[in-house]
Amino acid sequence: MLALDGYLVAPLRSRFSLAVDTYDTWCLLLPIAGSFDYEVGDAHGTAKFGDVVVCPPGGTLRRRMRTRTSFFHARFTTSLEPRPGCTRLRDLDRLRGNLALLENANTAIATHVVTDLVLMLRRARSPQDRLVHSAMTYLLEHYASPELSLSELASALGISPPQLSRRFRDVRGVTPVAYLRDLRLQKARELLTESDDTLQVIAEHTGYRSAFYLSRVFSAQTGQSPSEYRRTSRV
């Protein structure tokens, strides 16, 4: 069912040894304490306790700590096919129990823990995925509109804003508002590196009302101003 290729229980630290890595096998990364930003394929966001980030074989995992973080990382082969990206686990007590087993673990125990985590990830799939998929599609189609709001999205899907936020976070690990912000910033990054558009034009194409507001959000989330990012990211 699952064979463990390696694992690491890392104490609190301020940065990952590698910001980017590509794996031949499946891998999972979850915060025990603290939080980190991640990117796997089209999935990106912030993971904190209860979230599990999965990267498929041949995939690239990007990560950057937002705070000092302790984490569990494992590489494995399996026929269970966990879903890539970030999944929010429902049973946090069971997660804590699994992590406690790792305190004095050998390979057999660690294999048991990873197997159980993968099973928990599979159980986290639910009928909510369809609604969340619809929400993601709507956000992808309307992210450039500065009028887009959680209320508009919830109304389009026929659900209340609090219910939508809870269901979206259960599946994606972030709220719709945070997902929209990350989506807009990703599009802004692409335009900064692939075009010569002014920041005001980029703001208009990514749902921000002004270059000033885009610059403020961009700097707060990435630690760089848009101009710095453009200068350092172009080849």
Side-chain angles (χ1 to χ4, degrees):
M1 182 182 294
L2 185 145
L4 188 64
D5 296 318
Y7 69 95
L8 171 67
V9 182
L12 282 171
R13 57 177 66 176
S14 58
R15 62 191 303 178
F16 289 106
S17 299
L18 294 174
V20 182
D21 206 353
T22 301
Y23 301 92
D24 295 328
T25 62
W26 288 94
C27 85
L28 64 78
L29 177 66
L30 64 89
I32 299 171
S35 62
F36 59 82
D37 293 332
Y38 67 88
E39 182 178 337
V40 180
D42 294 331
H44 53 86
T46 301
K48 55 186 179 181
F49 182 76
D51 297 325
V52 181
V53 177
V54 173
C55 183
T60 298
L61 172 60
R62 293 177 169 83
R63 59 280 183 127
R64 180 177 65 87
M65 289 184 182
R66 297 180 66 90
T67 62
R68 283 173 55 81
T69 302
S70 59
F71 61 89
F72 175 57
H73 178 263
R75 293 176 290 106
F76 56 95
T77 55
T78 183
S79 59
L80 294 174
E81 296 290 323
R83 182 179 60 189
C86 183
T87 299
R88 181 75 180 174
L89 298 181
R90 299 176 184 176
D91 192 342
L92 297 187
D93 287 337
R94 182 170 169 181
L95 172 60
R96 292 186 184 95
N98 275 322
L99 294 176
L101 292 175
L102 293 171
E103 293 178 4
N104 297 292
N106 54 31
T107 300
I109 292 174
T111 300
H112 165 78
V113 168
V114 174
T115 300
D116 197 50
L117 288 172
V118 171
L119 292 173
M120 291 172 71
L121 289 171
R122 289 171 62 85
R123 293 190 186 103
R125 296 183 181 185
S126 72
Q128 296 173 1
D129 283 3
R130 182 173 297 178
L131 180 138
V132 171
H133 179 74
S134 297
M136 292 169 60
T137 300
Y138 193 96
L139 292 172
L140 283 167
E141 292 175 349
H142 297 86
Y143 73 88
S145 169
E147 306 297 332
L148 181 58
S149 66
L150 177 62
S151 295
E152 175 189 330
L153 176 61
S155 178
L157 297 172
I159 192 173
S160 72
Q163 286 179 313
L164 174 59
S165 289
R166 183 175 63 254
R167 290 174 66 165
F168 197 100
R169 179 167 177 77
D170 284 345
V171 175
R172 298 295 305 178
V174 295
T175 65
V177 172
Y179 183 85
L180 175 60
R181 179 201 64 210
D182 291 343
L183 176 62
R184 285 171 166 169
L185 289 177
Q186 181 59 37
K187 297 297 182 181
R189 290 188 189 96
E190 293 173 4
L191 291 172
L192 285 167
T193 56
E194 299 172 6
S195 78
D196 294 318
D197 291 343
T198 66
L199 192 60
Q200 180 59 41
V201 170
I202 292 174
E204 292 169 359
H205 282 96
T206 54
Y208 292 100
R209 297 183 183 278
S210 69
F212 171 78
Y213 187 54
L214 168 57
S215 180
R216 187 172 69 177
V217 176
F218 193 99
S219 299
Q221 294 299 315
T222 69
Q224 288 182 297
S225 68
S227 60
E228 290 172 331
Y229 182 85
R230 171 173 269 172
R231 184 177 65 253
T232 59
S233 298
R234 284 186 164 179
V235 177

